[in-house]
């Protein structure tokens, strides 16, 4: 049974008032290594079918959501009936909305799913082997992970929606350490197909950074002028993004709620006229241009919105909060426009051209970070986050890296940081370090913060 | 196996052709020259119900069914998984696993060998629970959450209520070339209720969540008396109102009495993860991190005070990491990790046990799904109570100026497990041995060995409570595991307290 046949057959079996079927064909391959040798690997396949049955009742509209893997032709009817039963049992859904109506698309609905395999590492695996050899000779240990995932999604509905999308997603993490683990450096890349990955160049960058760390400087906690590289900015902005739900803000319980009621839309947040946006068509960061949801979640995502188009959205425009994430149901209740989440995020300032090396060269005395880690919310009122610096904090003096500094625990709010921007560099594609299990498509600039709050020292290296 | 009155393994799972598929896959792996091969077929059923202000916000049922083959071929791991349950497809997955081992061979310089383990024959194990949550009508389950939500919404000062319950039924079949064949079933539940108050005029808000732990029990957990649901729900509005009006803490050093509902997470982060041998050996260095408790310090590291005794186990009744046999085919056990403040043990799998000459594995291999390779995952890591230890009131009575910490909330720790920072649900000021109202904006921050070194006393056996989490993350690709941590309340001297509003620069 092809995925398209699965969708059509399930829709034909449905006796509910409405039905949405989402199938996901997923293939993935990965290599993982530590101490210059392989640790684990894998080549995995999965196939999932979600059936969302919509049932209109006297008191409201209900949805029954069931997702299963390995569904056979024989098992499909049972899945559809179970979904209908779940809808009848559940009672009215708070996020109920009319199912999405079809629009003209350029999707190739009839095309087969695409697949990846372990062969995607045909060049990367031997290059890694060479890098391990070089590293061993230079008293350097390499750790890391390479993964390629291909998902082909088909969404069909009883209202006539038929959408297909192929999402390739690759990521590469490489961590270099001295044999005593005292010095540590990291590079990461987000890629669609691994053809743009140059292992030798990444290894050379690690070697340079480990060289920087041969001189060490102990610094106490305090507020420091700090340059955040794009990957660190991505992790902070991702947290801001997932905290930007309209419903919670309207309820008065997020950093984006306004005293006296309402939200902070229209309020200036950033000291520089930056734009924070998502756009499924962003070059190199292409992602699904329509909603797929196999569970409703926290006012951010609704199963009733499956198939709804996702366009470009500016969440922050010219430094002002411009939009919050909004389901169709919440939009209808509040007289606003829907604003679905997209699977990418870009932060840019107009005419920003400075590269990270240029920003370092213009720094009299400050810290240069590599990445942030273990980021958790401390206080939702201010969106205060805590976390650690990781894999290289460098002291910059007179425009040059002067050595490596101990790690810090920091406490900062990404919303506050936007209000204290010292300098914004040129955005580039980057891999979030903390959140790349969930989110790999970001373009962020390096940022200079005049007074980043390093709260306590961490002995970790 | 529990006694005859307990539920058995779901007949629908037993009806799957697991033995035929295992024979086909393992036979092919042997033909292709695998030194070791194991086959897993798993079905994981999940249901998440979420209510917002008493109305259904999300209901989702999931079922993940699939098979996987792991081989050691030419001294190198190879892993593959698939979803088609035919002998031909199982053979193809075995062939893919061997192909993955071959592609990986050039980057492997450390031949994989496994610690010896007795062959356990064909065995069955079922966790201790009474009522399969997937047998309870969804309407009844939602009805209970509606009732809980409405009780809170009816109280003064409660503006919003979230009520959720995650339910998991995990069926796992394992077979290896040596002849161990296990069929196991576990059930776990995680109910949570959170109340929020909003002061619109000031633009402020505050929340309070239940401390009821996630457990390896069935639906009876929500309706029976193992947790005092009615009592906890009835007190949340007053606790929330008191917290919203509480004075902001003065930062500085305080003595702390930490309740099991908060201390479990500090144990998880600063002991549980730090004593995973794969972290100490660097396998997680690029992701979850390493450990300050390096292998050369086994038997000598002063982890904490003499009052600190830590056990690892996968056998505690209702523990979330509890199971009969691990994903290496090892029978689960209980062992010491810290004895009188000194590091004496790690959490192991068969590969690492052999690599470090530690004898038999203590059974911590786990894969969270049929599509993931097993890695070393956390046992139930727990602090033992003191045989003659006192009550919670005794511990509080020993503090002149301090804070009593209840319930977990925010958590963060560095990649070597030194520096941590935690918040909680409730912080009560202690004055002259008595509780004196709540404080707000509190976080405690410390270095692991300093913190456990400052632990002066722990409560007695009657104060021990098992808490835990569903969402422990580790490995790449990411895997999620459920784990429990038990402890008595404990008294710590001179811990650094931060004010989170001042940390935000306000």
């Amino acid at each position: 049974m092809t995925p398209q046949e699965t969708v059509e057959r399930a829709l034909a079996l449905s006796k509910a008032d409405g039905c949405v079927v989402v199938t996901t064909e997923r293939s993935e391959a990965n290599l993982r290594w530590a101490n210059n040798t392989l640790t684990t690997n894998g080549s995995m396949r999965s196939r999932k079918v979600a059936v969302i049955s919509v049932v209109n009742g006297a008191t409201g509209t209900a949805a029954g959501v069931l997702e299963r893997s390995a569904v056979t032709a024989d098992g499909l009817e049972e899945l559809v009936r179970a979904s209908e039963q779940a809808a009848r049992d559940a009672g009215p859904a708070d996020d109920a909305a009319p199912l999405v109506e079809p629009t003209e698309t350029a999707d190739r609905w009839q095309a087969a799913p695409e697949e990846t395999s372990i062969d995607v590492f045909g060049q990367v695996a031997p290059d890694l082997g060479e890098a391990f050899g070089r590293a061993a000779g230079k008293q350097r240990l390499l750790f890391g992970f390479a993964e390629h995932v291909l998902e082909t999604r088909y969404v069909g509905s009883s209202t006539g929606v038929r959408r297909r999308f192929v999402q390739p997603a690759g990521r590469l993490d490489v961590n270099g350490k001295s044999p005593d683990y005292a010095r540590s450096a990291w590079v990461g890349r987000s890629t669609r197909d691994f053809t743009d990955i140059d292992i030798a160049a990444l290894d050379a960058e690690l070697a340079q950074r480990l060289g920087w760390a041969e001189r060490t400087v102990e610094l106490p906690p305090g507020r420091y002028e700090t340059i955040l590289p794009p990957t660190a900015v991505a992790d902070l902005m991702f947290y801001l993004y997932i905290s930007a739900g309209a419903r919670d803000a309207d309820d008065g319980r997020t950093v984006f709620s306004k005293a006296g009621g309402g939200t902070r839309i229209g309020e200036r947040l950033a000291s520089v006229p930056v734009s924070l946006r998502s756009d499924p068509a962003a070059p190199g960061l292409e992602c699904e241009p329509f909603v797929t949801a196999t569970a409703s979640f926290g006012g951010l995502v609704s199963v009733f919105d499956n198939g709804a188009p996702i366009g470009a959205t500016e969440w922050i425009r010219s430094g002002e909060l411009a939009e919050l994430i909004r389901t169709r149901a919440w939009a209808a209740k509040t007289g606003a426009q829907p604003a679905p989440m997209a699977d990418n995020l870009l932060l840019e300032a107009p005419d920003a051209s400075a590269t990270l090396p240029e920003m370092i060269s213009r720094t009299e005395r400050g810290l240069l970070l590599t990445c942030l880690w273990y980021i958790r919310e401390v206080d939702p009122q201010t969106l205060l986050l805590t976390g650690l610096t990781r894999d290289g904090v460098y002291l910059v003096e007179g425009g040059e890296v002067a050595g490596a500094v101990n790690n810090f625990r920091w406490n900062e709010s990404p919303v506050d940081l936007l209000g204290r921007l010292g300098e914004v560099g040129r955005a580039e594609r980057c891999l979030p370090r903390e959140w790349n299990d969930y989110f790999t498509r970001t373009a962020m600039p390096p940022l200079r913060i005049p007074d980043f709050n390093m709260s306590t020292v961490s002995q970790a290296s | 196996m529990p006694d005859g009155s307990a539920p058995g393994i779901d007949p629908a799972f037993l009806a799957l052709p697991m033995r035929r598929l295992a024979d086909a896959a393992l036979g092919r792996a042997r033909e292709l020259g695998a030194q070791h091969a194991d086959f897993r077929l798993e079905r994981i059923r999940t249901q998440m119900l979420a209510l917002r202000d008493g109305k259904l916000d999300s209901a989702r049922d999931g079922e993940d069914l699939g098979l996987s083959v792991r081989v050691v071929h030419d001294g190198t791991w190879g892993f593959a998984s698939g979803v088609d349950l035919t002998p031909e497809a199982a053979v193809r997955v075995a062939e893919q696993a061997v192909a993955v081992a071959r592609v990986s061979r050039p980057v492997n310089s450390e031949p994989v060998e496994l610690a010896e383990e007795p062959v356990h024959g064909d065995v069955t194990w079922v966790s201790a629970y009474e009522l399969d949550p997937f047998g309870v009508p969804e309407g009844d389950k939602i009805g209970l959450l509606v009732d809980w939500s409405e009780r809170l919404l009816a109280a003064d000062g409660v503006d919003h209520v979230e009520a959720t319950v995650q339910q998991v039924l995990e069926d796992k079949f394992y077979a290896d070339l040596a002849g161990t064949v296990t069929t196991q079933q576990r059930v776990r539940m995680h109910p949570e209720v959170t109340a929020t108050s909003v002061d619109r005029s000031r633009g402020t808000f505050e929340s309070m969540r239940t401390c009821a732990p996630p457990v390896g029990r069935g639906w009876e957990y929500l309706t029976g008396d193992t947790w005092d649901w009615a009592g906890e729900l009835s007190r949340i509005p007053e606790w929330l109102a008191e917290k919203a009006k509480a004075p902001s803490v003065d930062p500085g050093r305080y003595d702390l009495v930490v309740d099991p509902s908060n201390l479990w997470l500090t144990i998880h982060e600063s002991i549980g993860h730090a004593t995973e041998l794969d972290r100490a050996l660097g396998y997680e260095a690029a992701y979850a991190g390493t450990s300050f408790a390096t292998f050369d310090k086994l038997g000598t590291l002063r982890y904490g005070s003499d009052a600190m005794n830590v056990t690892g186990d996968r056998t505690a009744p209702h523990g979330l990491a509890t199971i009969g046999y691990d994903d290496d085919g090892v029978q689960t056990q209980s062992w010491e990790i810290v004895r009188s403040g000194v590091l004496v043990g790690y959490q192991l799998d068969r590969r690492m046990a052999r690599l470090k000459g530690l004898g038999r594995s203590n059974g911590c291999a786990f894969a969270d799904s049929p599509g993931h390779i097993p890695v070393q995952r956390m046992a139930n890591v727990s602090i033992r109570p003191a045989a003659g230890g006192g009550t919670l009131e005794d511990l509080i009575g020993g503090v002149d100026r301090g804070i009593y910490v209840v319930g977990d909330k925010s958590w963060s720790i560095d990649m070597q497990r030194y520096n941590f920072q935690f918040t909680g649900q409730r912080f009560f000021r202690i004055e002259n041995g008595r509780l004196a109202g709540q404080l707000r904006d509190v976080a405690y921050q410390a270095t692991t060995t300093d913190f456990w070194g400052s632990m002066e006393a722990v409560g007695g056996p009657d104060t021990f409570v098992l808490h835990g989490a569903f969402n422990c993350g580790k490995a790449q690709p990411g895997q999620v595991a459920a784990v429990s941590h038990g402890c008595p309340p404990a008294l710590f001297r001179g811990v650094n307290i931060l004010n989170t509003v001042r940390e935000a620069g306000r």
Side-chain angles (χ1 to χ4, degrees):
Chain A
M1 208 171 33
T2 68
Q4 297 92 333
E5 286 167 355
T6 300
V7 171
E8 300 299 350
R9 220 184 271 197
L11 290 173
L13 286 165
S14 173
K15 295 175 184 169
D17 296 313
C19 185
V20 179
V21 182
V22 180
T23 72
T24 306
E25 302 273 330
R26 180 182 167 103
S27 56
E28 54 183 302
N30 65 72
L31 295 175
R32 196 177 193 209
W33 57 95
N35 299 310
N36 296 339
T37 184
L38 178 87
T39 51
T40 61
N41 52 24
S43 168
M44 293 100 95
R45 297 271 180 290
S46 68
R47 186 187 318 127
K48 291 191 171 173
V49 182
V51 176
I52 298 145
S53 296
V54 176
V55 173
N56 299 323
T59 54
T61 300
V65 185
L66 268 77
E67 185 172 45
R68 288 187 188 164
S69 58
V71 176
T72 59
D74 295 342
L76 198 57
E77 175 154 20
E78 197 265 313
L79 174 62
V80 172
R81 296 292 163 253
S83 160
E84 290 164 358
Q85 186 61 44
R88 283 191 291 270
D89 286 349
D94 204 28
D95 60 334
L99 291 182
V100 171
E101 294 296 328
T103 50
E104 282 296 312
T105 76
D107 295 0
R108 297 190 303 135
W109 170 258
Q110 290 301 341
E114 297 181 19
E115 275 201 6
T116 189
S117 77
I118 198 77
D119 298 329
V120 74
F121 303 126
Q123 191 56 50
V124 167
D127 287 355
L128 275 172
E130 279 182 33
F132 294 166
R134 265 196 313 276
K138 294 274 170 45
Q139 293 286 296
R140 189 163 76 241
L141 297 174
L142 296 179
F143 307 78
F145 179 62
E147 178 188 65
H148 194 240
V149 179
L150 253 181
E151 281 192 347
T152 310
R153 197 109 64 167
Y154 300 84
V155 178
S157 75
S158 54
T159 47
V161 168
R162 296 292 183 276
R163 304 241 29 192
R164 171 185 181 273
F165 190 74
V166 180
Q167 181 74 70
R171 53 182 172 145
L172 175 74
D173 256 325
V174 194
N175 172 214
K177 289 186 193 296
S178 57
D180 62 359
Y181 289 16
R183 289 176 287 137
S184 190
W186 178 84
V187 290
R189 291 288 182 275
S190 162
T191 176
R192 286 172 69 84
D193 55 14
F194 277 87
T195 57
D196 53 352
I197 296 297
D198 182 345
I199 294 287
L202 294 172
D203 188 33
E205 189 178 338
L206 288 173
Q208 179 194 34
R209 286 171 169 261
L210 289 172
W212 287 348
E214 281 172 7
R215 179 169 174 250
T216 58
V217 184
E218 297 284 317
L219 286 180
R223 288 187 176 266
Y224 288 93
E225 178 173 324
T226 299
I227 300 174
L228 301 169
T231 184
V233 175
D235 278 318
L236 292 169
M237 290 304 128
F238 173 73
Y239 214 110
L240 185 153
Y241 185 34
I242 61 167
S243 305
R247 183 170 180 186
D248 282 344
D250 285 330
D251 277 353
R253 48 170 158 167
T254 79
V255 68
F256 300 116
S257 306
K258 193 162 70 181
T263 73
R264 295 172 68 185
I265 287 178
E267 188 178 314
R268 172 165 289 281
L269 298 181
S271 56
V272 171
V274 293
S275 151
L276 181 72
R277 64 190 178 92
S278 46
D279 179 3
L285 302 173
E286 292 88 351
C287 61
E288 217 157 35
F290 54 90
V291 174
T292 60
T294 55
S296 296
F297 179 72
L300 296 174
V301 179
S302 168
V303 293
F304 290 92
D305 293 354
N306 269 299
I310 302 176
T313 304
E314 267 193 300
W315 309 102
I316 295 174
R317 184 187 305 125
S318 298
E320 285 180 9
L321 183 64
E323 189 53 291
L324 294 166
I325 299 159
R326 198 176 294 110
T327 61
R328 290 160 66 244
W330 193 249
K333 270 180 198 160
T334 56
Q337 288 300 308
M341 291 184 90
D343 234 350
N344 64 16
L345 193 64
L346 303 89
L347 180 70
E348 296 142 322
D351 306 322
S353 62
T355 63
L356 189 62
E358 287 166 3
M359 287 173 64
I360 294 168
S361 72
R362 288 202 296 268
T363 303
E364 195 46 47
R365 187 169 193 274
L367 301 178
L368 167 67
L369 307 188
T370 301
C371 36
L372 306 178
W373 186 248
Y374 225 122
I375 302 167
R376 294 293 183 275
E377 183 178 282
V378 177
D379 185 358
Q381 184 86 59
T382 54
L383 200 62
L384 181 73
L385 308 179
T386 192
L388 284 305
T389 61
R390 183 170 185 181
D391 294 326
V393 177
Y394 305 102
L395 176 65
V396 180
E397 286 181 322
E400 290 182 355
V401 174
V405 180
N406 45 274
N407 279 303
F408 294 99
R409 166 171 301 288
W410 49 268
N411 284 308
E412 277 289 1
S413 160
V415 181
D416 270 13
L417 288 177
L418 288 176
R420 291 160 32 219
L421 296 173
E423 184 182 4
V424 180
R426 188 175 69 202
E428 60 180 61
R429 183 173 187 179
C430 57
L431 182 72
R433 177 76 188 278
E434 169 102 357
W435 305 117
N436 69 49
D437 285 339
Y438 316 99
F439 208 76
T440 58
R441 288 173 288 275
T442 56
M444 297 282 149
L447 298 180
R448 186 190 305 276
I449 306 295
D451 53 355
F452 196 89
N453 178 19
M454 300 298 184
S455 177
T456 52
V457 167
S458 154
Q459 297 173 46
S461 58
Chain B
M1 278 280 295
D3 66 34
S5 65
I9 291 185
D10 182 358
F13 181 71
L14 291 175
L16 296 170
M18 59 265 279
R19 284 175 173 73
R20 203 150 48 91
L21 301 179
D23 287 348
L26 294 176
R28 184 63 180 141
R30 193 198 301 269
E31 276 172 17
L32 292 171
Q35 292 114 33
H36 165 92
D38 54 63
F39 169 92
R40 274 185 298 123
L41 186 145
E42 292 192 20
R43 188 196 67 182
I44 299 163
R45 292 190 66 182
T46 55
Q47 186 183 60
M48 174 68 172
L49 299 174
L51 273 68
R52 190 172 165 124
D53 297 340
K55 294 178 179 162
L56 188 65
D57 186 50
S58 183
R60 178 192 182 269
D61 272 66
E63 183 182 294
D64 191 4
L65 172 65
L67 60 85
S68 66
V69 177
R70 182 177 63 158
V71 299
V72 178
H73 186 272
D74 194 12
T76 300
W77 286 124
F79 175 81
S81 74
V83 291
D84 293 321
L85 305 186
T86 64
E88 299 73 30
V91 163
R92 278 199 300 277
V93 170
E95 289 168 349
Q96 281 162 15
V98 172
V100 170
R102 288 195 172 119
V103 169
S104 307
R105 181 67 189 83
V107 288
N108 183 32
S109 59
E110 206 171 70
V112 174
E113 294 178 23
L114 304 180
E116 297 293 327
E117 174 68 16
V119 173
H120 297 293
D122 197 333
V123 287
T124 295
W125 184 92
V126 180
S127 70
Y129 67 94
E130 290 168 22
L131 209 53
D132 174 2
F134 294 88
V136 177
E138 190 170 324
D140 293 359
K141 294 192 264 192
I142 293 169
L144 180 67
L145 296 182
V146 168
D147 173 49
W148 286 0
S149 300
E150 286 178 349
R151 282 193 227 175
L152 284 171
L153 285 166
D156 282 345
V158 174
D159 296 296
H160 297 286
V161 175
E162 265 101 38
T164 61
V165 58
Q166 293 180 70
Q167 307 142 72
V168 180
L169 170 66
E170 176 188 291
D171 285 286
K172 195 186 270 274
F173 171 85
Y174 167 99
D176 62 28
L177 276 182
T180 290
V181 180
T182 65
T183 311
Q184 306 186 85
Q185 177 167 296
R186 306 198 289 181
V187 171
R188 53 185 177 267
M189 309 285 303
H190 190 188
E192 279 190 325
V193 185
T194 306
T196 301
S197 64
V198 177
D199 183 336
R200 281 196 181 263
S201 58
R202 294 171 58 210
T204 59
F205 54 94
E206 192 53 85
S207 68
M208 183 71 62
R209 201 196 68 216
T210 48
C211 293
V215 293
R217 295 180 187 270
W219 187 255
E220 73 279 2
Y221 179 50
L222 281 83
T223 55
D225 55 8
T226 53
W227 188 261
D228 179 11
W229 293 102
E232 184 170 34
L233 291 171
S234 72
R235 297 205 62 186
I236 279 182
E238 60 187 90
W239 280 325
L240 176 62
E242 185 191 1
K243 185 180 183 181
K245 287 184 291 195
S248 195
V249 71
D250 287 328
R253 299 224 165 244
Y254 290 80
D255 294 346
L256 300 188
V257 174
V258 186
D259 194 75
S261 57
N262 180 275
L263 194 58
W264 73 268
L265 184 51
T266 311
I267 294 168
H268 176 85
E269 300 294 358
S270 70
I271 309 172
H273 279 303
T275 58
E276 295 176 313
L277 186 56
D278 61 344
R279 291 184 63 118
L281 297 180
Y283 296 175
E284 286 286 332
Y287 181 65
T290 59
S291 174
F292 74 94
T294 49
F295 190 69
D296 56 307
K297 298 188 179 113
L298 182 62
T300 58
L301 175 71
R302 178 43 78 172
Y303 214 111
S305 69
D306 287 347
M308 183 186 191
N309 290 288
V310 179
T311 304
D313 80 76
R314 300 196 66 190
T315 55
H318 311 297
L320 294 169
T322 299
I323 196 163
Y325 302 85
D326 80 350
D327 288 344
D328 278 347
V330 174
Q331 189 164 23
T332 56
Q333 301 148 44
S334 172
W335 69 99
E336 284 189 302
I337 292 177
V338 175
R339 185 191 306 137
S340 300
V342 176
L343 175 72
V344 295
Y346 283 105
Q347 303 162 65
L348 308 172
D349 63 17
R350 287 177 69 182
R351 195 261 173 107
M352 292 189 294
R354 176 62 170 247
L355 191 69
K356 303 312 279 185
L358 295 169
R360 189 182 173 200
S361 165
N362 50 32
C364 295
F366 176 72
D368 70 352
S369 64
H372 281 153
I373 192 167
V375 291
Q376 185 262 299
R377 293 309 304 263
M378 205 181 292
N380 306 307
V381 172
S382 297
I383 291 195
R384 290 205 298 276
T391 62
L392 172 65
E393 291 69 30
D394 294 337
L395 294 171
I396 291 170
V399 173
D400 291 336
R401 175 180 177 271
I403 298 173
Y404 170 48
V405 185
V406 184
D408 66 88
K409 197 167 186 187
S410 169
W411 73 102
S412 175
I413 187 165
D414 71 38
M415 44 286 169
Q416 221 174 335
R417 304 280 142 173
Y418 278 118
N419 177 306
F420 58 68
Q421 179 179 309
F422 293 96
T423 65
Q425 294 296 325
R426 296 185 286 284
F427 294 89
F428 295 92
R429 191 201 324 248
I430 305 174
E431 280 175 1
N432 301 318
R434 289 168 183 274
L435 298 187
Q438 287 187 62
L439 294 165
R440 52 178 296 151
D441 311 324
V442 186
Y444 70 93
Q445 180 279 323
T447 292
T448 293
T449 43
D450 295 344
F451 181 76
W452 294 110
S454 77
M455 185 169 73
E456 187 175 285
V458 300
D462 290 347
T463 67
F464 182 91
V465 186
L466 203 60
H467 283 266
F470 265 34
N471 60 339
C472 174
K474 189 177 171 183
Q476 289 178 307
Q479 297 195 40
V480 179
V483 58
S484 290
H485 301 285
C487 58
L491 166 61
F492 300 83
R493 297 291 187 189
V495 179
N496 186 28
I497 294 292
L498 306 179
N499 179 302
T500 57
V501 173
R502 287 196 213 175
E503 286 295 316
R506 308 267 164 125

